[in-house]
Amino acid sequence: MAVNTQTWWQQGRVVEADDLAEGVRRIVLSPDRPVHATPGTHVDLRLDLDGHVRTRSYSVLRSEDGGRRLTLGVQLAPSSRGGSRHMHGLEVGDVVEMTGPVQSFPLGVGADRYVLVAGGIGVTALVAMADSLRRRGADYTLVLAGRRRAVMAYLEELADTHGDRIRVFVDDEGVRLDVDALVGEIAGGPAPARTEMYMCGPIRLMDAIRRAWVAHELPEPNLRFETFGSSGAWAAEEFVVHLPQHDRSVAVTTDTSMLDALEDAGVDVMWDCRKGECGICQVKVLDVDGRIDHRDVFLSKKQKETNTSLCLCVTRAARGEPERSEPAAVTLHLP
Ligand code: FES
């Protein structure tokens, strides 16, 4: 039996669905048991993807009318495991199975300054935070980074609402986010030890920010983040998981996570965030044939380098060398 430590399930009806930006859909859900979603919350949805029930998490962009209207923003990911494709197909009147709001990225109170950094669709986790900081009269900056303006959701609306609190970096306009300079400004600015950064975006951006944060000797608890565990060092490819304690092997296809594949095979696994953040799904690695593509933000750099453990929810294995024909394989200790 899979174990999730935090969810309760209900039905939610799609009451609005439209395009927010190129490849980004806005979906407003009206849950059966409404609860206001505070900034930083997400909902989990149970989706039927090609006959398999999968759980996917989406940040709540906006909570209105006491949680009767929860707005999500979903980017269509070409290499997605099917969740975003399914979400983009939802129409008004469709019913989904969903949790109430789950808080995993709370906005603190009492800092002197707040810096919110959104990489691409990561903005969905930060819109409500920025609105809340504005209402509080807090000192905050919202940094938005993306590849092209056309794919950056809420850009105009955020600029209208937050004015000069916003800094926009767009790769194809040659204005790239310089992470080290941004963190350096915080370290050299007023009250660096009382500045909190909230970041949501791809793992590579998160890693760069975390490295800069440590290099500038800023307090680690002041860096908070939420990630999308989808961007790895290698493109997703099929691989095999060997479970000697269970005397079996399980194939993981390109559109399935290791956690999903093990659950489908009836193997008991623990999980919570399913995004590579909490470490609940961590297991010991006994052997690797190929390369491990960790994709989580829970394990330490050393644990990743030595491949002693992995997080089942986001980690993949890859051949690592294009000429190798056999799929990669990992052997796990799973009692
Ligand atoms: S379930 Fe949280 S890291 Fe995998």
Side-chain angles (χ1 to χ4, degrees), residues 287-332:
D287 195 21
V288 189
D289 187 7
R291 305 291 292 272
I292 293 187
D293 194 358
H294 281 279
R295 303 185 176 202
D296 66 279
V297 291
F298 177 79
L299 297 176
S300 67
K301 193 163 175 268
K302 188 163 176 217
Q303 282 173 307
K304 288 179 184 173
E305 280 168 1
T306 54
N307 283 331
T308 47
S309 311
L310 59 77
C311 290
L312 288 170
C313 61
V314 292
T315 303
R316 302 195 63 84
R319 286 169 298 161
E321 299 151 19
E323 61 275 11
R324 188 190 141 110
S325 57
E326 284 296 298
V330 284
T331 306
L332 303 178

Side-chain angles (χ1 to χ4, degrees), residues 11-18 25 27-30 32 89-97:
Q11 290 198 325
R13 184 170 297 276
V14 178
V15 292
E16 282 178 38
D18 50 28
R25 199 89 175 129
I27 295 157
V28 183
L29 296 174
S30 177
D32 278 351
L90 289 178
E91 292 177 0
V92 172
D94 286 347
V95 172
V96 294
E97 203 177 350

Side-chain angles (χ1 to χ4, degrees), residues 259 271-281 298 311-313:
L259 181 59
W271 56 270
D272 190 349
C273 71
R274 296 185 91 106
K275 290 189 291 186
E277 292 173 5
C278 70
I280 297 276
C281 66
F298 177 79
C311 290
L312 288 170
C313 61

